[in-house]
Amino acid sequence: MDLVANFVRRYELDSLISPDLLEALTPLRRMPGEFIIGSGEPVRSLFFLVEGRAKAYRVLENGQSILAAFFGPLDVLGEVELFSSPRYALSVVALEESVCLALPVEAVKKAAERNSRLFMYLCARLGEKLDDRNLAESINLRYPVENRLASYLLASMDGEGSILGTDDLGELADFIGASYRQLGRVVRRFRGEGILEKARGRIRVLDRAKLAPYARDLYLGTECRIRPEAFGP
Amino acid sequence: MDLVANFVRRYELDSLISPDLLEALTPLRRMPGEFIIGSGEPVRSLFFLVEGRAKAYRVLENGQSILAAFFGPLDVLGEVELFSSPRYALSVVALEESVCLALPVEAVKKAAERNSRLFMYLCARLGEKLDDRNLAESINLRYPVENRLASYLLASMDGEGSILGTDDLGELADFIGASYRQLGRVVRRFRGEGILEKARGRIRVLDRAKLAPYARDLYLGTECRIRPEAFGP
DNA sequence: GATGCTATAGGACATATGTCGTATCCGAAG
DNA sequence: CTTCGGATACGACATATGTCCTATAGCATC
C-alpha cells in the first residue's frame, strides 16, 4: 500500500490538490530533534505535516531563539514563504517522529489555476496563524513568565509529563522570551507547589491539573482548526 | 473619470483581478478616526487600501486594546478572515482620509478559478504579515517601553511631529502594551531630552532625529513590500 | 472671583525581570 | 578515593514595570 496515497485519503487532500499535483507529493520522515525546515534555506517545498508534532522558532541576531508555534496533523509548513520570500524565515524541528508530504513550489505555482481550493486553504490557514500570533502576542505582552511557562509545558508535554519540545532550561528560557535566571525562579516555585520536578537542568510535569490555571489559553488555540473538507467540491 | 478605474490603473490591480471581479469593486471613503473594519462584524468584503493610512488593533476582553499594524497604499485589509473566520478579528481605523476598494467575499470565492493571481497575492501578503508579526513579537518581548513608544511615534507621526494615530496617552498606553504610569515616565524622560512636548495628555514630537535611535526597527519593516506586478502575466 | 468636580501628573511602594558573580554539584580523569 | 573543570543553582543587586494614592491643575458653575 502506498504511504502517500494513504495519507492523502486520510486527510482528503485530493479535495485540495489536483491529480497531477498529487503525484508530485513526496514523503519525508523526520525523527525527534531533526529539522523539517531550516531558517535561511531556499524555499523549495510546501509541506503537509500528516503525522507527528513539530515546533517552529526564530533565531535572533544575538543568538536568542524565540518559539513561534507548534504543529500537528494536519497542518501546512512553509506556506508563509511560498510567495513572499525566497528563504524560510523560521526553523521547524520535529518533536515526535513525523511524516511530511512535500510539494515542490514550482509545481504549485505552475498548477495554480487548477488548484484554487488549495490556495483558499492556504489563505485560510495563514489567516488563522496570523490571528493566533496576534492574540498570543497580545497576551505575551501582558502576562508574566510563569504563565508563559505553564502554557509552553501544557502545549508540549506528553501523557507522562515529559516535555516533547525541549526540557532544557536554557533553551526553554530562549523559547518563552525570559532569562535563564527568571525561568529558574519560576521553576523553583512550581517545584515547591509540586507541579513539576527537576533534575540536572531538565524538568518534568508532575501535576497537570495544578499547572493548567497558570496557562491562560496562551497556546491552547494555536492548533490548526481549518479542515481541508471545508474546501471540497 | 472613474475613481475606481483610476486606482486600478495606478496599482495595476487588473493584473490580479479578473475583469468581472473588477466590476464589483466599490470605492469607500473614510475620514481620520472612522472605522474601515469593526472587530466582530461579519466578513463581507475584502478591502484594498489605495489611499491614506490606517491602523489595526485588537480589543481584549478586559477592555485593553493592543496595536497590531499600520497600513498604507497599496495594502489588503480583511484577507486574514476571508477564509478563516466569519467575523473580523481586528478593528481597522483610518489615520488619514483614506480610500478603499471593496470586493464582496462571495464574488471572490465564486470567481476563485479565474483569479489565481489574486490568491497568490493574498498568500504573499499574508505570509509577509505573519512574518512581520513574528518578528515584532520577538522584539516586543525583549525591549522596554521606551523603544516601543519610539517605534510607535516614528511610525505614526506626520512631517510636523503631530501624531496621526492617537496622541492620547491613555489610548497610547493600551496600544503599546504598557501601563499609563510607565508611559508617563518614559514621556517625561523624552520631554526632558527635548524629544517631545506634552500638553493636557497629548504629545507631539519635537526632534525626530533624537527619537530614531530608540526605535530599533520595530515597525519599520511592517509596511507592505509585496507588489501586485510581481504576479502579473 | 469662589467653590467644587474631574482629570492629569507624579510620589511611594510592590512586583517582575535582568545581570553578575559565587557556591555547589557532577562527572571525568588520575 | 581525590581532584579538577564545567555546568547548575541561586544570592545580591539593579532595572523595568505595575498598582495605588494623592496633590494639584484645569475647567465649569454659581
Side-chain angles (χ1 to χ4, degrees), chain B residues 184-211:
Chain B
R185 279 191 272 253
V186 175
V187 167
R188 178 213 258 277
R189 191 141 33 87
F190 279 2
R191 205 171 27 159
E193 296 180 39
I195 293 176
L196 48 79
E197 64 177 8
K198 182 175 62 161
R200 296 209 43 67
R202 332 223 122 225
I203 56 179
R204 222 173 69 84
V205 177
L206 292 177
D207 190 335
R208 186 182 182 123
K210 282 189 195 160
L211 189 59

Side-chain angles (χ1 to χ4, degrees), chain B residues 73-136:
Chain B
L74 170 75
D75 214 326
V76 208
L77 309 175
E79 90 283 25
V80 175
E81 295 87 355
L82 181 56
F83 295 109
S84 65
S85 167
R87 299 187 174 273
Y88 292 112
L90 306 180
S91 293
V92 179
V93 62
L95 294 176
E96 301 170 344
E97 182 172 350
S98 301
V99 178
C100 287
L101 304 183
L103 206 48
V105 294
E106 318 84 49
V108 174
K109 292 180 183 179
K110 198 168 299 176
E113 297 76 16
R114 264 163 293 134
N115 290 274
S116 54
R117 289 201 195 97
L118 172 61
F119 284 79
M120 290 192 247
Y121 173 76
L122 292 180
C123 283
R125 183 57 185 138
L126 276 166
E128 206 178 47
K129 284 184 180 181
L130 183 51
D131 190 45
D132 286 345
R133 275 342 287 159
N134 244 179
L135 182 58

Side-chain angles (χ1 to χ4, degrees), chain A residues 6-27:
Chain A
N6 199 13
F7 282 122
V8 167
R9 189 153 12 91
R10 185 187 309 173
Y11 294 111
E12 302 186 30
L13 293 180
D14 52 351
S15 68
L16 293 181
I17 305 175
S18 62
D20 55 317
L21 263 191
L22 280 176
E23 288 180 23
L25 279 175
T26 312

Side-chain angles (χ1 to χ4, degrees), chain A residues 19-20 39 47 72 82 84 93-94 114 124 187 198 200-201 219-220:
Chain A
D20 55 317
S39 167
F47 300 93
L82 181 57
S84 65
V93 62
R114 263 164 295 136
V187 167
K198 183 176 61 162
R200 295 207 46 63
Y219 290 105
L220 298 189

Side-chain angles (χ1 to χ4, degrees), chain A residues 137-169:
Chain A
E137 180 185 356
S138 307
I139 297 176
N140 264 334
L141 225 48
R142 299 301 219 265
Y143 291 97
V145 169
E146 60 173 23
N147 299 308
R148 308 210 290 271
L149 173 63
S151 300
Y152 176 90
L153 294 178
L154 283 182
S156 59
M157 62 187 278
D158 66 15
E160 285 72 45
S162 298
I163 310 304
L164 291 171
T166 183
D167 56 359
D168 175 82
L169 281 192

Side-chain angles (χ1 to χ4, degrees), chain A residues 144-145 179 181-182 185:
Chain A
V145 169
S179 67
R181 187 65 190 86
Q182 182 64 9
R185 278 190 272 252

